[in-house]
Amino acid sequence: MRIVAGSAKGRALAGPKATSKHIRPTADRVRETIFNVLGQWLEEQKVLDLYAGTGALGLESVSRGAPKAVLVDSDREALALCRTNTDALGFGARVEILSQPVERALEVLGRRGDKFELIFADPPYAARVVETVLEGIARSKVLAPGGTVVVEHDKREAAPESHEGFERVDQRRFGDTLVSLFRIP
């Protein structure tokens, strides 16, 4: 697993133990396609990475120019990987790591008044929470106007065409993985 582009292009990321049941990193080719759809560079875009795992999506964003990324996870191994990868890339000043369940983190970020132009959510596939994630983002009001939510989920979980004011604007399939992009029109 490596950073695909930007200031840290080609740098390796630490991954989960082979026995890890809770962390499923986004494959390099999936990340590359996501950023091809979003645009290669993310200057002036604050990024929120929910269910961060290794932090790959948020850290890829910082490598591509995002001034700030917040990585959220509650799994101990995932948090350690986020810290290790953030430190190894030298992104500590631009990355905040929140050790909380996603629902709680959204509440905290909403109360703080944080706004993000780009939000990634890569929940465990078995959780089946695409709609729940959209509801939490809508309720917390953390998505900036014109922002995008990217949800990675199992192909067997249908992502709605619209939900909580969000409209699905794109969807890509990679084997058993679907990546759905949402915006508020």
Side-chain angles (χ1 to χ4, degrees), residues 123-132 151-160 171 178 180:
Y125 284 1
R128 308 246 181 217
V129 294
V130 171
E131 292 184 17
T132 304
V151 184
E152 187 176 333
H153 56 99
D154 188 282
K155 69 178 182 182
R156 293 174 292 271
E157 181 181 7
Q171 188 171 68
L178 279 177
S180 299

Side-chain angles (χ1 to χ4, degrees), residues 3-73:
I3 295 292
V4 177
S7 64
K9 180 180 180 177
R11 301 273 305 272
L13 295 172
K17 298 174 188 165
T19 58
S20 179
K21 297 177 183 174
H22 304 289
I23 303 172
R24 179 194 29 77
T26 301
D28 292 356
R29 72 180 180 93
V30 175
R31 266 187 291 121
E32 186 171 17
T33 300
I34 289 170
F35 285 98
N36 285 340
V37 171
L38 294 172
Q40 291 294 312
W41 305 104
L42 303 176
E43 287 87 1
E44 306 307 316
Q45 293 191 36
K46 286 178 53 182
V47 175
L48 177 59
D49 188 353
L50 303 172
Y51 307 96
T54 63
L57 289 165
L59 296 171
E60 181 78 38
S61 298
V62 172
S63 179
R64 292 170 183 257
K68 179 179 181 178
V70 176
L71 312 179
V72 176
D73 212 304

